[in-house]
Amino acid sequence: MASSGWELAVNESGVLKGHEGAVLAVRFNGDGNYCLTCGKDRTLRLWNPHRGIHIKTYKSHGREVRDVHVTTDNAKLVSCGGDRQLFYWDVSSGRVIRKFRGHDSEVNSVKFNEYNAVVVSAGYDRSVRAFDCRSQSTEPIQIIDTFQDSVMSVHLTKTEIIAGCVDGTVRTFDIRMGRELVDQLGHPVNCISLSNDANCVLASCLDSTLRLLDRSTGELLQEYKGHKCKSYKMDCCLTNTDAHVVSGSEDGFIYFWDLVDASIVSSFRAHSSVVTSVSYHPKDVCMLTSSVDGTIKVWRK
Amino acid sequence: MADVDEEDYVYFGTPIEREEEISSRKRKAIAEPGTLRSLPPWKQEVTDEEGRRRFHGAFTGGYSAGYYNTVGSKEGWTPQTFTSSRKNRAEVKKQNIYSFLDEDDLKDIGGNTLETSMQYDTFGFTAAEFARKKAEEEQKKRPSAIPGPAPDEIVLPASSSIGMRLLMKMGWRQGHSIKDSNAESLSEIRREARKAFMALSSNNAEPDISEKDADGTDEFPDMSIDVLRNSENTPVYVLNPKQDMYGLGYDPFKHAPEFRDSKRLRESKSRETKRSKVHMGNLLSSNSKKYAPGFGIGALEELDAEDEDIYASGFDYEQTEVELEPSKAVSSSSGDRMLQLEHKKRGSLLGFKLASDSDYKLERFYPPAIPSNFRPIHKFGAPLDQTLKNYNSVPPPDAPPPEDTNLRLLIEGSAAMVARCGKSIEDLYMEKSKTNPLFLFLKSGAEGYDYYVRKLWENKQKFVDNLKPAEKLTAENRGRILGERPLASTTSRVNDVSVKAREVINTQSSHGDTVTKPISLADLPDSAIKQFKHDPAKQERFELFLKEKYQGGLRASGTRSSTSTSTMSEADRARERLDFEAAAEAIEKGKQTIQISAPSTDHTKDLLGFGEDRFVSSTLIENSETKLEETNVVYPKREQFEWRPSPILCKRFDLIDPYMGKPPPVPRARSKMDSLIFLPEIFKSSNKEDAKSPIGNSLEASKSGLKEAEAEPSASEADVAPTSPKNVERPVDLYKAIFSDDSDDDEADAGPALNQAPNPVKSSEGANKTLNRLVAGDFLESLGKELGLEVPPDSIPGPSLNANTVSLPEEQKSCKGGDDRDDTPFPKVKETKSKDYGSTVDSSREKKRSHSKHHRRRSRTPDLDPDSGSDSDSHRRHRSRSKKRRDRRDRSRSRDSESSDEAYMNRKERRKKHHSRHHEHKKKDYGDKYSDKKRRS
């Protein structure tokens, strides 16, 4: 435990303040130099978390913004939220290039694909929709609506779309194979996260349990308990080395588990209120957490 | 007679014009305008509605006023043309009403224009201003030595107000105060003294007040202007906005100006604090409703539940009210001012002290503790049913009515009363019987008791029968009552013999007992587990029944034979027979545990306990089911389905479309009726209400050859004869006989070309194929003509009837490979049909589709699976289902997002409430979760 302690981002090194109201998501960009946050104040904000600088604010959403994702070349953003549309932004100018319509309800999660050509979004309307960034059309090119409840989180690999749903399933849509794998967990899935080697998927369930699944077999590898996650949309993730599992808690705590033996390595109070999102630096030992209390905190070892 | 009289009359004056004349003039007037318009203006004349020339008056124009009866000028009254104010700003002038009035109008107004009057210009400001302006103008006109406008000091107003003039006449001079100088100086001295005094004793103001009272009158200058002295100039006007709530002119500090300053000081201080606090409050806590802090919501957006601040965190800022009202220490005796302040600090009322100890305590009533085993489900006691059951089980023997008609009537009446009102009435009668010999029949053994019992039973039956119609009589119920077999079992093996036997029983039962009806007889076992265990006799009969059923095929009314007891009525037997039949059927189906007794218990429940079971059964069933499921399912569970990514998605992901070149997703199988009866193409397009492209459809149909048309007929089409002879339909196998070898790949290519975005690689190929097919179609047509097959297919003897049987093995064969299928007509037709979304036929059908069914079908092998990958279809299904699922969505709304987060427990509560029968599929989805939750909690 002592040996693992040094490599966890458990020491607060900065606070990013600026959001009015709850911050709903925080995301590192591809290389981890910047981060994007979005929140209930209907804005997106671009920060340099390492220097603690607020770079830009993107305003156009009419309702709360729930998720944001940035392309690998850092040129475009896509965001989604309560206004049922996806906003496709130009990062530098801060303008909305396009608004993708189609969702019948709030959109919970959004991601670019590897080539930044497709945006895949997951919504409360029990569907996952894919939109084409290259065409002028704002209509979805694919609608997946085999879900039976609100889809909370979506992730993309090179060939797959993975989505976690409140109906208790993690569904993997393999585009190459043309098949849908349904992993039933039995509990509403709040958030999913991929391991860095993309072999495992971590699903945060609403029974206050994180479940680690082997993606190839659908086998349950481990369960992580101790935190509180019952009603809020909260993020979870794995650390950069895939050695630990991180999740926020509804009581403002951050929990670190050992990936293998599921023991709580560290837990500490990070925020005064619900920790909505955690994001781990892709390379370094650095973590961002956002909370309902309106702050984003930067954590280092 | 009249003629004679007329001659005697003497006429005076001119006679009134006759009607014809007037009407002719009118006619002329009406006819004229057309002709008038052609005349030059000076020849035109204006007429009124009576056709007379309009006379404007002798002095105002005669017959021709204005410019030939128009407004003043030749142009008449031309509207103002638009002039751009951008180019010539200077010319734009403001319009007022006078720019629209001519002299006549002005005369009508009477030359009254609103102007300011100098007469009431008390202080002379307006006059001064006016004079100054005048002077300025004059200054401008005349050349002066000083260039530019003269300063105001030089040019003084030349006029003064009346008041000023009056004052001047009375001796007042400008710059002098109107005041008694004596009084003035006196008060001046006093004020000085007071100030000194205040400086000495700032706290104690008591002697001061008395003094003030004394010189109160002096303070205000009396307006007598008899004596005018030279003193300092009075300020003309003091701008002092009224900020307090006192009456006009009332000054609480009139007699104590010293307090004014202290008050002002205090006020400004408190205002500051208040402002800051309120400011804080507004910023941090929100208004009445709790929005998320920091921003509001647009005016047009309605306030959803989501907009409320669900993160309402622990910190709430209180909006503190700061008292603004100054303490009226002046009016009251200032002695208790300190006390008052102190009280204010403590927050109690003036003149009251906070009690140091009080025996008043806030009484709190805590809700009663709910026992842990309490279940919030109400069970209605059913005493009536209980008694009914008793009566049912052993119907009392028929008894002869007593000879005494009075007694008979009494017995009948009281029996009716007891049946209706229950046992209590009977008890009452019993009480009475002690005193009144009339009620002796109530005692067993007494005369008429048997008759009474019988009557009571009959009445009860009647009463229950009357009650029943109030229940919901579903088709199923009625079917059961009428002895019909439930629909589901019609497909199962039902031998006609048993049906016949039942019919016999039915007729028997309907004629059997005049008083009791078959519905009311419900001597059924209420234990749901074992059929007739509690009733050994019945169990025995049941066994016998089974034996008979499976041994001998033919039984007419066999149950009556051996074991039927004399106590059982015909209807009872019929009833029992039905139960036996149902139970036997259930056994046949192999559902031993719950379902066996289901028909009978359901029946009794429906008939009797319409209160009890409605509330209990749903949760009970759910619980049992979920438990069952939970034991079965082990999480995580992996399932695999076919999923069809759209080609463009594959392209964007830089992947090869796994379904490239494969036929389009086959829509899910439709209901039996639909697959059997294929509506002709024309019907289909006419069915579509929104019919996006009926023409396009038919175009496509023709383009893709005659396949669609051919696909339609099937074996069962004999009774659905196409009405239009134009609707050329050919048997499939004929086509097959000719084109069977190349049709496979044909189809495979034609599919995507029709339904989806055309595959770029294959499109040209597809075009060729369709061309081929067109040619083939022509050929086929001619062939058909030769063979005499032009007529609708039902006239074709062999091939059309064979169609299905031939195509069936074809289908199976084709299912082996992904590429070569769709030889059968079905998918094709469906494909075209699947294009018209929103057609009423489709959607209505969709509603019937249950979700679980969908699931089952999904899990089939992909190629056979008609449901697989058809996104659009399942989408539609979801839509149509959405109504059913609304309440479920309500529930899930709370679950899914951070915007409407409620506790999971709440959801559970609502779940129970919302549960209804048609949500069975939901149970499957949630049951496991639910019960799991429950266990944990």
Side-chain angles (χ1 to χ4, degrees), chain B residues 652-855:
Chain B
R652 291 280 177 263
F653 271 79
D654 208 8
L655 297 169
I656 297 160
D657 186 356
Y659 291 88
M660 188 163 64
K662 302 239 175 86
V666 185
R668 72 278 164 267
R670 296 170 300 176
S671 72
K672 211 178 287 165
M673 284 298 283
D674 288 318
S675 55
L676 286 175
I677 302 164
F678 286 98
L679 290 175
E681 185 72 29
I682 285 172
F683 287 173
K684 269 186 269 166
S685 55
S686 65
N687 272 346
K688 294 163 212 154
E689 302 224 314
D690 51 343
K692 263 190 186 170
S693 58
I695 302 158
N697 261 350
S698 55
L699 253 179
E700 273 170 350
S702 63
K703 216 193 270 176
S704 62
L706 300 152
K707 272 191 183 173
E708 272 91 346
E710 281 168 277
E712 278 146 21
S714 71
S716 70
E717 197 151 48
D719 41 9
V720 192
T723 48
S724 159
K726 277 183 192 171
N727 210 15
V728 183
E729 290 165 339
R730 284 177 196 79
V732 188
D733 57 343
L734 174 68
Y735 178 79
K736 245 183 224 304
I738 300 161
F739 291 102
S740 58
D741 41 357
D742 66 340
S743 64
D744 288 353
D745 19 357
D746 235 2
E747 297 260 341
D749 291 339
L754 275 176
N755 207 14
Q756 296 185 332
N759 201 331
V761 190
K762 296 232 170 186
S763 60
S764 60
E765 199 185 333
N768 282 335
K769 291 262 162 77
T770 45
L771 199 70
N772 283 339
R773 223 177 292 136
L774 271 174
V775 176
D778 283 344
F779 167 68
L780 201 74
E781 206 170 353
S782 60
L783 191 75
K785 270 176 189 164
E786 277 179 20
L787 291 170
L789 296 176
E790 180 62 23
V791 278
D794 50 348
S795 66
I796 309 162
S800 72
L801 283 172
N802 285 341
N804 241 9
T805 53
V806 173
S807 64
L808 205 68
E810 283 289 334
E811 188 180 33
Q812 283 164 0
K813 185 184 76 193
S814 66
C815 285
K816 284 170 199 160
D819 269 7
D820 49 2
R821 56 167 179 161
D822 279 7
D823 275 346
T824 54
F826 308 100
K828 272 291 171 187
V829 176
K830 281 172 214 150
E831 169 198 312
T832 50
K833 197 158 185 182
S834 72
K835 280 181 185 179
D836 42 27
Y837 297 139
S839 76
T840 51
V841 182
D842 269 11
S843 60
S844 66
R845 189 171 1 99
E846 288 298 337
K847 277 173 192 164
K848 293 172 194 160
R849 205 160 296 278
S850 80
H851 190 69
S852 54
K853 211 169 183 179
H854 164 61
H855 251 283

Side-chain angles (χ1 to χ4, degrees), chain A residues 35-46:
Chain A
C35 79
L36 281 154
T37 60
C38 54
K40 288 216 84 172
D41 59 356
R42 315 184 201 183
T43 60
L44 301 166
R45 279 163 207 263
L46 175 64

Side-chain angles (χ1 to χ4, degrees), chain B residues 194-263:
Chain B
R194 216 181 292 134
K195 268 181 190 164
F197 190 78
M198 281 297 293
L200 281 174
S201 59
S202 58
N203 258 352
N204 195 0
E206 208 164 3
D208 205 58
I209 286 158
S210 58
E211 197 185 338
K212 255 178 278 149
D213 286 335
D215 66 356
T217 45
D218 300 338
E219 186 75 65
F220 226 69
D222 58 344
M223 293 304 287
S224 68
I225 38 168
D226 294 344
V227 194
L228 300 166
R229 296 283 151 83
N230 282 349
S231 61
E232 75 252 33
N233 202 351
T234 43
V236 179
Y237 185 66
V238 181
L239 187 83
N240 194 11
K242 184 170 162 55
Q243 285 173 314
D244 49 17
M245 309 278 275
Y246 305 123
L248 203 67
Y250 174 73
D251 184 10
F253 303 104
K254 192 171 76 182
H255 305 305
E258 300 80 22
F259 291 107
R260 192 169 282 153
D261 290 338
S262 66
K263 184 211 166 186

Side-chain angles (χ1 to χ4, degrees), chain A residues 95-142:
Chain A
R95 289 215 185 111
V96 177
I97 302 166
R98 211 165 295 145
K99 291 178 186 172
F100 296 115
R101 295 159 210 278
H103 274 289
D104 300 329
S105 195
E106 295 91 331
V107 190
N108 289 322
S109 178
V110 70
K111 288 281 181 296
F112 277 110
N113 78 333
E114 192 197 8
Y115 304 104
N116 307 322
V118 177
V119 167
V120 179
S121 63
Y124 180 70
D125 57 352
R126 310 194 300 276
S127 73
V128 164
R129 283 162 203 252
F131 297 88
D132 189 359
C133 295
R134 292 193 183 158
S135 79
Q136 290 297 315
S137 166
T138 60
E139 297 300 314
I141 54 172
Q142 174 101 45

